[in-house]
Amino acid sequence: MTISMEKIPHPRSVVWQEDRLLLLDQRRLPAETVYLELTTPEEVREAIVKLAVRGAPAIGTAAAFGMYLGVKDVPDADAGRLWSTLRRVGEDLRSARPTAVNLSWALERIRRRLETLKERPVSELKAALLAEAHAIQREDAEMCRKIGEHLLTLLEDGMGVLTHCNAGGLATAAYGTALAPLYLAKERGWHLRVFADETRPVLQGARLTAYELQQAGIDVTLICDNMAAAVMQKGWVQAVIVGTDRVAANGDVANKIGTYGLAVLAKAHGIPFYVAAPTSSIDLQTPTGADIPIEERPVEEITKGFGLATAPEGVRVYNPAFDVTPAELVTAIITEHGVIRPPFGPGLQEAVQRSQG
Ligand SMILES: CSC[C@H]1O[C@H](OP(=O)(O)O)[C@H](O)[C@@H]1O
């Protein structure tokens, strides 16, 4: 199934154009649609660190193109410099953000692909690298649409769905993961009522999810994070759907801070809690959620969000960007291969193996 990128119902976050990478600057949404034109891996790393590009799959894709930017001007006669540059740029990009496994997954996929061609001329290696970056992006779009189709089998027309952060088209190559079923439901003429958590402190839900869904004509209601319990208590939510930055081998899920609390609330209200997870976000080498590195971000995201001082100077701040939801609070994990129910271990292994061919 090939996705026609011209027909996706939202702006593209990562676009390769001739010899440069265009990144939709998500820090400026929803007020401004501005694309950064990047020509070096250092610029790509900075864009990832500063959340100009964000969302686990989008980060992986941007890093893959960043690898090509790092080597595209290496002389064809200098194979040694190509390999040393690949190692340096790979490590530099990998260190940009620690939690989303898609970043290291994409870089490792590039490395493995080039290792199979290590005796080939530099020109062939560079062409193969760029082709692999395009393949990662293309496959991500296809995975997202398939996740949407599988998630739709768990929903019904007329349902209320609550989501957190942005696991939408802006976080991926197309359609998103958690938001994919909402786009497909719209295509089928369903009416789903979406409640989007604003998702402090960076407000990906308010700035990105509400924006994406409103642009697509999907019924979305923006709520503050602390309103999710009341919305569930009113009976307005029949499913919670979130994305993920990393699923551990036992089914523990790292996702945007606040996800764990939603899972506890969903359990308390008897609401299914679904995690949309492309296999590129599943990390079988990480045994449990306790082993997932959790990124801590600058205090200013909380004390001076969007430039407005909202806390006393010098106050102590704790700003983890993610939390871990234990597998026992997850109803199902939905990959591009289908719906996985507990116990998650065997199903996660099978899904990853299917993706490795
Ligand atoms: C399909 S996006 C996955 C994930 O990434 C987001 O984090 P961030 O905005 O910090 O990159 C969020 O946790 C999404 O659920």
Side-chain angles (χ1 to χ4, degrees):
M1 167 190 65
T2 302
I3 305 293
S4 169
M5 296 306 278
E6 292 66 39
K7 295 180 180 172
I8 61 176
H10 55 75
R12 294 182 61 188
S13 55
V14 179
V15 181
W16 179 257
Q17 191 175 75
E18 293 167 13
D19 64 348
R20 65 196 55 210
L21 185 60
L22 306 182
L23 292 182
L24 175 59
D25 189 344
Q26 299 191 36
R27 297 170 295 184
R28 301 175 71 166
L29 287 173
E32 298 172 287
T33 301
V34 173
Y35 280 86
L36 304 173
E37 285 194 28
L38 309 185
T39 57
T40 69
E42 292 76 16
E43 289 172 329
V44 175
R45 185 184 193 278
E46 183 181 19
I48 293 172
V49 168
K50 295 191 173 176
L51 308 190
V53 60
R54 37 66 49 201
I59 291 172
T61 301
F65 284 115
M67 287 292 282
Y68 179 73
L69 288 174
V71 298
K72 69 182 179 64
D73 297 327
V74 169
D76 287 354
D78 199 342
R81 185 171 151 207
L82 177 93
W83 287 103
S84 62
T85 303
L86 285 169
R87 281 189 293 274
R88 174 178 55 79
V89 170
E91 280 316 306
D92 197 39
L93 287 166
R94 189 189 307 270
S95 66
R97 296 187 76 191
T99 305
V101 72
N102 304 62
L103 177 53
S104 52
W105 170 86
L107 294 170
E108 180 58 15
R109 174 167 162 172
I110 295 279
R111 186 195 67 77
R112 283 200 311 269
R113 172 66 178 132
L114 297 187
E115 281 288 337
T116 67
L117 302 169
K118 66 190 312 178
E119 304 308 323
R120 306 304 298 164
V122 166
S123 59
E124 267 191 52
L125 290 164
K126 290 195 277 191
L129 200 173
L130 183 57
E132 199 69 13
H134 282 294
I136 287 170
Q137 186 172 44
R138 182 178 61 251
E139 291 166 22
D140 181 49
E142 293 163 0
M143 281 195 276
C144 287
R145 189 162 175 99
K146 288 175 183 171
I147 288 171
E149 288 165 357
H150 293 307
L151 264 165
L152 265 191
T153 66
L154 305 173
L155 306 177
E156 291 174 14
D157 188 5
M159 270 188 169
V161 174
L162 188 144
T163 191
H164 192 68
C165 195
N166 173 257
L170 294 171
T172 65
Y175 296 105
T177 56
L179 300 193
L182 308 180
Y183 286 118
L184 301 191
K186 172 79 176 173
E187 287 178 8
R188 299 184 183 186
W190 288 18
H191 177 225
L192 297 178
R193 294 182 321 283
V194 183
F195 294 90
D197 277 357
E198 67 175 354
T199 315
R200 280 189 56 76
V202 180
L203 306 183
Q204 290 94 328
R207 297 185 302 107
L208 306 175
T209 294
Y211 164 76
E212 268 197 53
L213 297 181
Q214 187 184 59
Q215 293 283 314
I218 293 170
D219 178 343
V220 58
T221 301
L222 177 62
I223 61 172
C224 297
D225 303 337
N226 55 11
M227 299 172 187
V231 165
M232 291 182 189
Q233 189 183 44
K234 287 180 179 296
W236 293 350
V237 177
Q238 284 71 51
V240 177
I241 310 177
V242 298
T244 181
D245 293 81
R246 187 182 309 217
V247 180
N250 71 340
D252 291 346
V253 172
N255 196 52
K256 183 56 51 203
I257 188 72
T259 302
Y260 169 49
L262 275 184
V264 173
L265 285 171
K267 189 86 173 179
H269 290 84
I271 297 169
F273 185 86
Y274 298 128
V275 176
T279 47
S280 52
S281 300
I282 298 171
D283 179 6
L284 299 178
Q285 277 62 54
T286 296
T288 73
D291 309 298
I292 299 175
I294 299 298
E295 175 187 4
E296 292 198 30
R297 292 195 58 84
V299 302
E300 290 75 19
E301 285 185 351
I302 294 177
T303 60
K304 292 188 185 116
F306 305 95
L308 177 67
T310 53
E313 195 64 39
V315 66
R316 184 181 301 115
V317 170
Y318 175 49
N319 185 19
F322 303 99
D323 59 23
V324 175
T325 298
E328 52 265 29
L329 292 178
V330 178
T331 307
I333 296 173
I334 298 86
T335 77
E336 64 273 26
H337 299 303
V339 179
I340 305 172
R341 301 225 182 236
F344 292 116
L348 292 171
Q349 285 186 19
E350 181 191 350
V352 169
Q353 283 160 6
R354 283 182 65 176
S355 290
Q356 291 170 343

